[in-house]
Amino acid sequence: MTIVGHILDISAAALGFFIVSCLLKGRLSAAQKLYLSSAVFLLLWLLAVNGMDHMDSMAGLQVLDAITCASSALLIMTILLISLVFTKNLEKVPRYYWLLYILPGITTLIVFTNPLHHLFYRRFSIYVSEVQFGPLFIISGLQYYVYSILVIVIMIRFGCRARVKRVWGQVGLFIGGLLVPFCTNLLATLRILDLPIFATPLAFLVTIFCHGIAVYYLNFLNIKPAALENMAANVAEGYAVLSADSCIIYCNAAFEAIFGEKYKMRTNCYLNRIVEDLEERKKDVIYNLLNFFDVCKQSVNMISYEQAILSEDGKFYYSVELTPILVKHRLAGVMAMFRDVTKIKEEMRRKQQNLSRTMERERLISLGQMIGSISHNLKTPIMAISGDVTLLIDLVREYEESIGDEEVTVEDHLEIAKEMSGWLNRIGECCEYMSDIITTVKGMAANLSNTSEGEFTIEEVLKRVQMFLKGKLVKNGCRLLTDMRLPQGTMIHGDINNMVQVINNLIDNACDAMEKTGGDIELKVYRTQAGICIQVKDQGPGIPADVKEKLFRTMCTTKGTKGTGLGLYSSAEIIRARFGGKIWADDNEDGGTSFFVELPAEDERE
């Protein structure tokens, strides 16, 4: 027993020195504190076992034995707590986790008070053959095995979820260190081997040693590496770490699944060597990565690009982001993160198609509105021309009948000619008005399906809108009042036809809202801090709150069967997509609704 005593003394001294040195290193994380606590419990266990070798008093032996039982129960529970803290990436131990120590605490209390109830030992003796165990001793032993198996299951499950080689190495180290005392204790319990009482605490030295390597060499108990790895996995489907000489020094499972088999991109492979063995159609993926890798190294800035990849399942698009890794202001490598953006691109294409369909439908509706406006605007001059022609026919007949009549003087002929000239001037004015309308309509019709961006003024927009809506304004008893607060000739960049369509929709809706009552529609143009704002204010009944919430998001209308809801929906899309602005509606204090269109300043658009 002298050699064993020396071994226990050396082990206890080494463990004590290790604990003190760890405490002197400064602030510890929650997992590190738990690890040192387990080392303290093992130290108490070793000291108690070593003390039993020199103790002659039966009462003293009982106390030391109680210390060994309590230390083993608290030690295995602390290891369980370490596994929970690590696998859940906890920086602080939740309060309810400390409830796990209730059972080890009860065990400790029972074993120290055994002389009062004899539930742990019915008979205590220094000789194993004379010891009689109580029912709680068996429960305490089962408790050790249950906790150990639970720790192993937790760690294996964590490794399976992580699917990362480095994590599996840490998990293997943690489980391997725990299996040594587990198997030792199992052999002693089943009496397969006749082992002394110091065998199990010495076996736990292997556990502490393995966990110590993980703490100070593999950084197992520092949650930052795992947290950073999980964060990178959440940001990108696949990622790889490249050294400064383009060698893949690490990559996750997702990256290997995408590029490992098809493009030969695996750990410890150089990109410039991989490309030589690839098929011609696959080389562009490596070439692009190498080119942008060089740009990232030279600029020491983050670089992004998009990569298309063909596979048996179709074409996939990846957003590739290269980030330089600096160590002490020196470039150590580059992290390449690959994110699958195929669904995003498809969704954007789908939205663009839906927007195009909506715009096309709105153009057709606008065309119908334009034809209606043309009919209203042309009807009046046509009727005027028709009346003028009838009067001219009467004058021509009168003039023909006066030929040869001696009573008709020269003054009478001049009067008839003057009257005919007046009617002809009126016909000419009506024709000129109709020509202006047709010229404007022709210009808009030619551009209905094309977007032609350029410079235009609000005055040009209002001139066209007034021409189209003149008939409807008169029909509904409305009057358009304009308040221009911009310098004359202020230019706006975009497609004038798109802007005419939007303002036309807003004023047309205001006319419909005031169809029964009539009144003034105010159009105000002014400058704000964000840019240029166009306000269309009506005196209608207003818009219900539930409709206002979805007014520009879905095709809803307050006109019943008379409306489609396309007008405001497409107007909002035009302002957002074509002008980079926004559109909204507010209730007026004196009743009615105001619609606002805000166009950003040129520098913001850029």
Side-chain angles (χ1 to χ4, degrees):
M1 293 298 292
T2 305
I3 297 176
V4 173
H6 287 314
I7 294 175
L8 291 174
D9 289 338
I10 293 171
S11 300
L15 190 59
F17 176 78
F18 175 71
I19 293 171
V20 173
S21 62
C22 290
L23 291 173
L24 292 176
K25 285 190 175 182
R27 186 176 180 181
L28 302 174
S29 67
Q32 289 171 334
K33 290 177 182 178
L34 288 172
Y35 166 73
L36 290 180
S37 298
S38 66
V40 170
F41 291 136
L42 179 59
L43 178 61
L44 292 175
W45 193 352
L46 288 171
L47 293 174
V49 170
N50 193 24
M52 292 174 70
D53 188 35
H54 304 87
M55 181 62 65
D56 296 329
S57 169
M58 184 63 66
L61 285 172
Q62 286 183 328
V63 172
L64 292 175
D65 182 73
I67 292 175
T68 62
C69 293
S71 298
S72 63
L74 294 171
L75 173 60
I76 191 63
M77 178 53 66
T78 305
I79 293 175
L80 173 61
L81 203 58
I82 293 172
S83 67
L84 291 173
V85 169
F86 172 71
T87 56
K88 294 182 180 296
N89 285 333
L90 300 176
E91 295 185 1
K92 185 178 180 181
V93 181
R95 290 182 179 179
Y96 61 89
Y97 273 26
W98 300 114
L99 297 177
L100 294 173
Y101 281 101
I102 291 177
L103 287 178
I106 293 174
T107 301
T108 301
L109 181 63
I110 290 173
V111 74
F112 272 100
T113 59
N114 185 72
L116 300 177
H117 47 69
H118 300 287
L119 293 175
F120 203 79
Y121 292 112
R122 289 180 179 173
R123 181 181 179 185
F124 180 81
S125 175
I126 58 174
Y127 303 105
V128 177
S129 58
E130 296 179 1
V131 175
Q132 294 181 4
F133 298 106
L136 291 183
F137 183 88
I138 299 173
I139 296 175
S140 175
L142 289 174
Q143 179 179 302
Y144 167 79
Y145 290 111
V146 170
Y147 291 156
S148 298
I149 294 171
L150 191 58
V151 170
I152 294 171
V153 170
I154 290 173
M155 297 306 297
I156 291 176
R157 186 181 178 188
F158 174 72
C160 293
R161 286 183 176 180
R163 298 182 181 179
V164 178
K165 293 179 181 178
R166 181 176 61 82
V167 172
W168 267 114
Q170 296 171 345
V171 169
L173 189 66
F174 192 88
I175 293 176
L178 184 62
L179 283 176
V180 174
F182 181 84
C183 294
T184 302
N185 206 41
L186 188 64
L187 291 173
T189 302
L190 299 177
R191 298 185 183 276
I192 297 174
L193 293 176
D194 188 16
L195 297 174
I197 60 173
F198 57 81
T200 301
L202 286 178
F204 264 107
L205 281 174
V206 178
T207 305
I208 297 299
F209 177 76
C210 291
H211 292 184
I213 293 175
V215 171
Y216 294 101
Y217 183 69
L218 296 180
N219 209 15
F220 174 75
L221 297 178
N222 186 355
I223 66 170
K224 289 183 180 179
L228 292 174
E229 190 165 323
N230 290 337
M231 182 179 69
N234 290 333
V235 171
E237 277 79 4
Y239 65 92
V241 179
L242 307 174
S243 64
D245 55 352
S246 76
C247 177
I248 302 175
I249 60 176
Y250 179 75
C251 61
N252 67 343
F255 182 87
E256 285 189 349
I258 300 169
F259 302 100
E261 185 66 29
K262 294 180 180 178
Y263 295 92
K264 312 299 181 185
M265 286 196 281
R266 297 187 178 92
T267 306
N268 299 324
C269 292
Y270 289 84
L271 294 180
N272 51 3
R273 297 177 187 174
I274 295 170
V275 72
E276 298 174 358
D277 302 327
L278 285 178
E279 302 173 28
E280 196 64 35
R281 62 187 181 87
K282 294 182 179 179
K283 288 185 177 181
D284 68 315
V285 175
I286 310 296
Y287 281 138
N288 286 340
L289 185 55
L290 276 171
N291 291 336
F292 285 101
F293 173 78
D294 291 337
V295 174
C296 183
K297 286 201 307 179
Q298 293 171 9
S299 63
V300 197
N301 285 318
M302 186 182 70
I303 303 294
S304 298
Y305 70 96
E306 191 174 281
Q307 179 66 58
I309 295 177
L310 290 173
S311 68
E312 297 176 356
D313 299 327
K315 193 172 186 179
F316 293 87
Y317 296 90
Y318 286 88
S319 172
V320 186
E321 187 176 283
L322 303 178
T323 306
I325 302 172
L326 301 176
V327 177
K328 295 182 179 179
H329 306 290
R330 184 178 62 85
L331 183 72
V334 172
M335 173 175 275
M337 293 192 290
F338 291 75
R339 189 162 66 95
D340 190 348
V341 294
T342 307
K343 291 183 179 179
I344 297 175
K345 287 183 71 71
E346 290 176 353
E347 184 65 24
M348 289 177 63
R349 190 181 298 112
R350 226 176 357 254
K351 286 185 176 180
Q352 186 63 35
Q353 290 174 349
N354 291 337
L355 176 59
S356 299
R357 293 192 194 101
T358 303
M359 295 283 289
E360 192 61 35
R361 291 172 65 185
E362 181 59 23
R363 286 190 182 102
L364 292 174
I365 292 174
S366 297
L367 183 60
Q369 292 175 344
M370 186 170 61
I371 292 172
S373 298
I374 294 171
S375 63
H376 280 296
N377 290 330
L378 293 182
K379 186 175 181 180
T380 300
I382 288 173
M383 293 298 295
I385 291 172
S386 177
D388 294 342
V389 169
T390 301
L391 291 172
L392 279 172
I393 291 173
D394 291 340
L395 286 172
V396 170
R397 187 186 309 112
E398 183 181 347
Y399 185 76
E400 288 176 346
E401 292 174 354
S402 67
I403 296 175
D405 188 347
E406 295 178 355
E407 295 182 359
V408 179
T409 64
V410 175
E411 288 77 9
D412 293 332
H413 285 287
L414 291 174
E415 186 179 347
I416 293 173
K418 184 179 179 181
E419 222 176 306
M420 292 174 67
S421 178
W423 294 119
L424 288 171
N425 287 335
R426 285 190 58 184
I427 290 173
E429 291 174 0
C430 290
C431 289
E432 186 179 351
Y433 175 69
M434 288 190 293
S435 176
D436 289 341
I437 292 176
I438 292 170
T439 301
T440 303
V441 170
K442 184 179 178 181
M444 284 199 67
N447 292 290
L448 271 175
S449 58
N450 299 316
T451 299
S452 177
E453 292 194 356
E455 302 287 338
F456 62 90
T457 64
I458 288 292
E459 288 85 357
E460 294 177 76
V461 175
L462 296 183
K463 182 179 179 182
R464 297 190 185 190
V465 170
Q466 286 173 336
M467 187 170 291
F468 287 126
L469 293 178
K470 181 178 179 181
K472 185 163 186 176
L473 288 166
V474 174
K475 179 183 175 183
N476 289 15
C478 297
R479 184 175 56 165
L480 182 62
L481 304 178
T482 59
D483 182 7
M484 288 289 298
R485 298 189 181 183
L486 292 179
Q488 189 172 3
T490 300
M491 304 302 293
I492 297 174
H493 180 79
D495 186 355
I496 186 173
N497 294 314
N498 288 153
M499 185 55 67
V500 169
Q501 183 177 340
V502 171
I503 303 302
N504 192 79
N505 282 335
L506 297 181
I507 297 177
D508 187 72
N509 286 342
C511 284
D512 290 336
M514 299 166 62
E515 182 179 10
K516 296 180 181 179
T517 60
D520 293 335
I521 298 173
E522 299 177 27
L523 191 146
K524 181 180 177 182
V525 185
Y526 56 95
R527 186 172 291 279
T528 63
Q529 292 182 348
I532 295 173
C533 188
I534 304 170
Q535 178 185 2
V536 176
K537 179 180 179 182
D538 64 47
Q539 299 175 2
I543 302 174
D546 57 333
V547 176
K548 191 187 300 180
E549 290 179 0
K550 52 186 178 180
L551 200 57
F552 302 102
R553 296 197 301 270
T554 58
M555 288 178 284
C556 66
T557 179
T558 58
K559 301 178 185 179
T561 56
K562 294 181 181 180
T564 63
L566 275 171
L568 289 177
Y569 178 75
S570 64
S571 295
E573 293 297 329
I574 289 172
I575 293 300
R576 279 196 293 264
R578 304 294 187 192
F579 293 91
K582 58 182 180 179
I583 184 171
W584 71 94
D586 278 335
D587 295 328
N588 300 325
E589 293 182 359
D590 53 349
T593 306
S594 285
F595 285 85
F596 297 87
V597 174
E598 189 173 72
L599 308 177
E602 284 300 313
D603 54 346
E604 291 185 8
R605 284 170 60 86
E606 293 172 3

